[in-house]
Amino acid sequence: MATDQYDVAIIGGGPAGSTTGTFLRKYAPETRVVILEREKFPRDHVGESQLPGISHILNEMGVWDKVEAANFPVKIGGTYKWGKTAELWDFDFMPVHLIKPEPRPGKFVGQRRNLAFQVDRSIYDEILLDHAASLGCDVREETRVLSIEREGDRVTGLRLESGETITARWYVDASGNSGILRRAMGVEVEYPTALQNIAIWDYWQNASWAEEIGIGGTRIQVMSIGYGWIWFIPLGPTRTSIGLVVPKETLKRLGKTAEELYRESLPLDARIWRLMEGAESEGKLQTTRDWSFEADRHCGENWMLVGECAGFADPILSAGLTITHASGREAAFTLLSLDSDENPDWLLAEYSRRQKRRIRSHIQFADYWYTANTQFKDLSEHTSEIAREGGLELNPEQAWDWIARGGFILDEQSFGFAGVHFSLLKDLTAHMGDMPETRPVDVNNVFHPNLNDSVHEEFAQYKQGRVKRIECLMRDGKMWPLEGPYGYWYHTLSQVTTAPKIVEALHKAFPANVDVAHKQAEIFRLITALNILIIDGWVTASHDEMHPVLQPMNYTRTVKWHEADAPLQTVGKPKNEQG
């Protein structure tokens, strides 16, 4: 058969593959890209709940407006029954009182920059793949890669089921759980947690939303039961994804089929069961294993791993799609920089370091969420094993200390998990165990940089289609980027160090006519960065009675609790509201 020649061949047309292909063609339209997808879209897929960072990537891809036009629910945050009490609590991406009822479809401005989507993957993935094709990617659906041809650590071709061989300069594995290229290249995976879950889910028509916020906005529902947890994710005006996550040993121990356990579990949470009143199953029950894992290698001589084939974190933090889109973007920027950079090995090493750190951090924090949830009566043995593997007793205070010492700055824009860095989540103290009740920025008012024993190094910044070297400080494996929000503090604290002067500088950083919600969100990001720098030891914080503290700057209350049996704020079945 004839051999086709490409610059980049991508296995898999899901969000990982379409994101990689889109960025390759956007920033280098001459790049020859083929995307090989074994299925025919649309097709259902689990992983529907997003975080705000994805919206920024979609906007850069040029596809945000198309996703918005699909009328997916706007994700404001989540309602949880999780932690040490059965009280419900809401965790929001921005204070709800600042959310305006803006018409839809809208634009990626103002409050929409701080929110996310809940997506029907059968629609969402097709939008992304079609967008990649519109930019010039050669998209081939119903095309199965049968085998990987290789010489040592170099891929020489992709053998298709049709008998055709695809050759390229570079190969990208974006095949998700299949890990087609990863497996063929002998890349081993590590399972760094004792808790190995399975997910069982179905799609339902005409379930009610728990609440409607603004126009088209709502929260996902995450509800603990004794042996696992239930998700409830509205995907559109009438369709909802409802799933159950349990350890695989639980299903085996109970001696039930996946469908039996699923059907018996949903009525155990009264809130979920009320929302399902009158709803009808689509009869598409599916299962998958949600085992957190990490690949030993993310790159080879002429190949890269992108998305879930390289690693997966427990879905409790809704991090899956964020990791996938981010890795696709960074893989594309890396590929586009290889020919022009004087040290391509450094580019690949930076890509690998960043992906491994991102995945591992989410796995560790997900483990903390499990160990801190005392509602898991049947999971005490598993959560104890998680704690032991981390060198801990099953004690939330010790677990938090373990997490908080990790060094959490990954790049110049990183802010941790669930859209907000957990170092600021003091409001979760009542729900998630003995977290610190105050943040350093709340009780201190004098801040000095601590640069002792630090060294200047370079790290990768992914911007405008290329990887740039930017300066950072390194000490004991921890990083202080000198650009972005962290760079703001490097320069600002060299001039002002007291709370009043810092407040003045923050307000001067934004024009007088800037949107109030946007200004508060950006100040929140800067305060977040300062708090992280304090926790990581880059900034020394102290209290001087002569000055007020930064507490008046607290725009970060995004958590509130309410009674478990409080009436639902249901607005019937949500309407398809278009502006």
Side-chain angles (χ1 to χ4, degrees):
M1 298 290 291
T3 297
D4 289 330
Q5 180 67 43
Y6 294 89
D7 294 305
V8 182
I10 301 171
I11 307 172
S18 57
T19 298
T20 306
T22 291
F23 279 120
L24 286 170
R25 291 288 301 182
K26 173 181 177 176
Y27 288 111
E30 73 282 2
T31 307
R32 296 165 299 171
V33 181
V34 63
I35 301 177
L36 307 171
E37 169 54 49
R38 68 182 179 185
E39 298 187 45
K40 175 64 178 176
F41 285 15
R43 55 91 179 97
D44 286 316
H45 200 284
V46 74
E48 302 104 344
S49 181
Q50 298 192 347
L51 300 179
I54 293 177
S55 294
H56 292 264
I57 295 176
L58 295 177
N59 185 59
E60 186 180 4
M61 291 169 64
V63 75
W64 189 91
D65 287 344
K66 296 178 183 179
V67 175
E68 164 70 0
N71 199 34
F72 297 125
V74 178
K75 183 180 176 183
I76 308 298
T79 297
Y80 294 82
K81 184 171 70 176
W82 196 279
K84 62 182 183 180
T85 75
E87 294 172 337
L88 302 181
W89 49 276
D90 301 330
F91 175 34
D92 299 324
F93 299 137
M94 63 181 292
V96 172
H97 72 274
L98 295 177
I99 297 177
K100 304 172 184 177
E102 296 176 339
R104 297 188 67 191
K107 296 296 182 182
F108 189 64
V109 296
Q111 66 188 25
R112 295 304 300 276
R113 296 176 61 85
N114 303 313
L115 303 174
F117 290 108
Q118 296 163 197
V119 296
D120 187 326
R121 290 286 299 275
S122 66
I123 301 171
Y124 180 76
D125 289 12
E126 187 172 30
I127 291 173
L128 298 188
L129 190 59
D130 288 347
H131 183 70
S134 73
L135 293 183
C137 291
D138 180 4
V139 172
R140 304 189 189 185
E141 296 180 76
E142 298 181 290
T143 302
R144 182 182 296 273
V145 175
L146 194 63
S147 62
I148 309 296
E149 298 179 351
R150 56 178 292 193
E151 293 178 359
D153 196 44
R154 183 174 184 83
V155 178
T156 59
L158 306 178
R159 190 73 170 172
L160 305 185
E161 193 173 38
S162 64
E164 181 183 3
T165 297
I166 299 292
T167 62
R169 294 180 61 206
W170 281 87
Y171 299 85
V172 171
D173 188 350
S175 63
N177 287 334
S178 299
I180 295 171
L181 189 149
R182 185 198 74 214
R183 297 174 191 273
M185 302 307 289
V187 178
E188 297 185 358
V189 298
E190 179 183 357
Y191 300 95
T193 175
L195 192 59
Q196 295 183 336
N197 290 332
I198 63 169
I200 311 166
W201 75 97
D202 199 353
Y203 299 98
W204 295 74
Q205 288 290 332
N206 299 317
S208 297
W209 290 11
E211 52 206 328
E212 188 164 354
I213 302 166
I215 295 178
T218 190
R219 298 183 179 99
I220 65 169
Q221 309 291 306
V222 176
M223 300 291 140
S224 297
I225 56 178
Y227 47 81
W229 58 277
I230 299 171
W231 79 65
F232 181 98
I233 307 174
L235 305 179
T238 64
R239 199 180 198 214
T240 302
S241 171
I242 306 176
L244 170 70
V245 177
V246 296
K248 64 181 180 66
E249 290 87 355
T250 298
L251 182 62
K252 181 178 180 181
R253 175 175 56 82
L254 294 177
K256 299 179 182 295
T257 67
E259 183 172 5
E260 288 171 342
L261 184 60
Y262 179 79
R263 300 293 178 184
E264 292 176 11
S265 298
L266 298 183
L268 297 181
D269 185 82
R271 183 179 180 88
I272 298 296
W273 197 236
R274 290 207 307 268
L275 293 173
M276 296 179 65
E277 184 178 355
E280 297 181 358
S281 166
E282 294 185 4
K284 297 181 177 180
L285 189 82
Q286 300 178 59
T287 64
T288 189
R289 67 180 198 177
D290 279 335
W291 299 0
S292 295
F293 76 91
E294 177 191 351
D296 287 345
R297 292 196 297 153
H298 291 241
C299 300
E301 189 173 336
N302 68 337
W303 55 267
M304 303 177 76
L305 307 182
V306 175
E308 286 187 13
C309 71
F312 180 80
D314 190 279
I316 184 58
L317 298 174
S318 300
L321 273 177
T322 301
I323 293 173
T324 292
H325 278 292
S327 66
R329 176 178 180 269
E330 291 163 11
F333 287 22
T334 299
L335 290 169
L336 292 174
S337 301
L338 286 171
D339 289 338
S340 58
D341 194 280
E342 61 186 17
N343 188 354
D345 289 341
W346 178 84
L347 289 174
L348 296 174
E350 278 291 284
Y351 173 81
S352 296
R353 177 194 63 80
R354 193 173 177 114
Q355 308 315 314
K356 290 171 73 71
R357 181 73 182 279
R358 181 183 284 127
I359 294 166
R360 181 59 64 95
S361 295
H362 277 86
I363 291 173
Q364 288 178 325
F365 197 51
D367 282 356
Y368 168 74
W369 275 58
Y370 278 91
T371 61
N373 191 352
T374 57
Q375 297 178 57
F376 283 157
K377 303 300 182 183
D378 294 351
L379 299 185
S380 59
E381 180 178 345
H382 297 292
T383 53
S384 294
E385 180 62 24
I386 289 173
R388 284 194 295 271
E389 287 187 354
L392 304 171
E393 298 295 330
L394 185 56
N395 179 303
E397 183 175 7
Q398 290 175 302
W400 181 255
D401 184 67
W402 168 51
I403 292 292
R405 292 180 186 275
F408 296 102
I409 300 175
L410 304 181
D411 56 67
E412 76 280 11
Q413 295 291 336
S414 63
F415 287 94
F417 312 93
V420 177
H421 196 279
F422 57 83
S423 67
L424 293 183
L425 299 183
K426 67 173 186 177
D427 293 323
L428 290 184
T429 301
H431 308 283
M432 292 291 289
D434 300 325
M435 292 185 180
E437 295 188 8
T438 58
R439 307 165 301 183
V441 293
D442 288 331
V443 296
N444 295 290
N445 52 23
V446 180
F447 306 94
H448 290 281
N450 173 19
L451 308 183
N452 294 336
D453 300 321
S454 63
V455 296
H456 287 255
E457 293 187 7
E458 290 182 325
F459 81 105
Q461 180 190 55
Y462 299 83
K463 193 172 184 178
Q464 297 179 335
R466 293 294 185 272
V467 182
K468 301 179 181 179
R469 285 175 165 81
I470 67 173
E471 193 175 12
C472 71
L473 297 176
M474 293 294 297
R475 180 176 61 208
D476 298 330
K478 297 181 180 181
M479 175 193 300
W480 185 349
L482 302 187
E483 293 198 21
Y486 299 104
Y488 172 88
W489 292 113
Y490 179 78
H491 299 290
T492 298
L493 294 182
S494 67
Q495 303 174 48
V496 296
T497 58
T498 62
K501 293 293 185 181
I502 287 173
V503 171
E504 182 179 341
L506 284 169
H507 284 293
K508 285 182 177 179
F510 301 95
N513 61 348
V514 72
D515 179 79
V516 173
H518 176 67
K519 176 180 179 179
Q520 292 188 341
E522 291 303 311
I523 290 179
F524 165 61
R525 286 172 59 82
L526 289 171
I527 294 295
T528 301
L530 176 59
N531 201 67
I532 296 169
L533 288 168
I534 297 170
I535 291 176
D536 274 0
W538 289 112
V539 173
T540 300
S542 60
H543 182 81
D544 185 338
E545 296 291 345
M546 298 295 293
H547 300 294
V549 297
L550 282 173
Q551 200 162 14
M553 298 285 299
N554 182 14
Y555 301 120
T556 66
R557 186 170 181 80
T558 54
V559 179
K560 65 177 182 177
W561 68 273
H562 47 90
E563 298 294 336
D565 58 354
L568 302 177
Q569 302 174 41
T570 304
V571 190
K573 294 178 175 58
K575 298 177 181 178
N576 186 356
E577 301 195 50
Q578 295 282 339

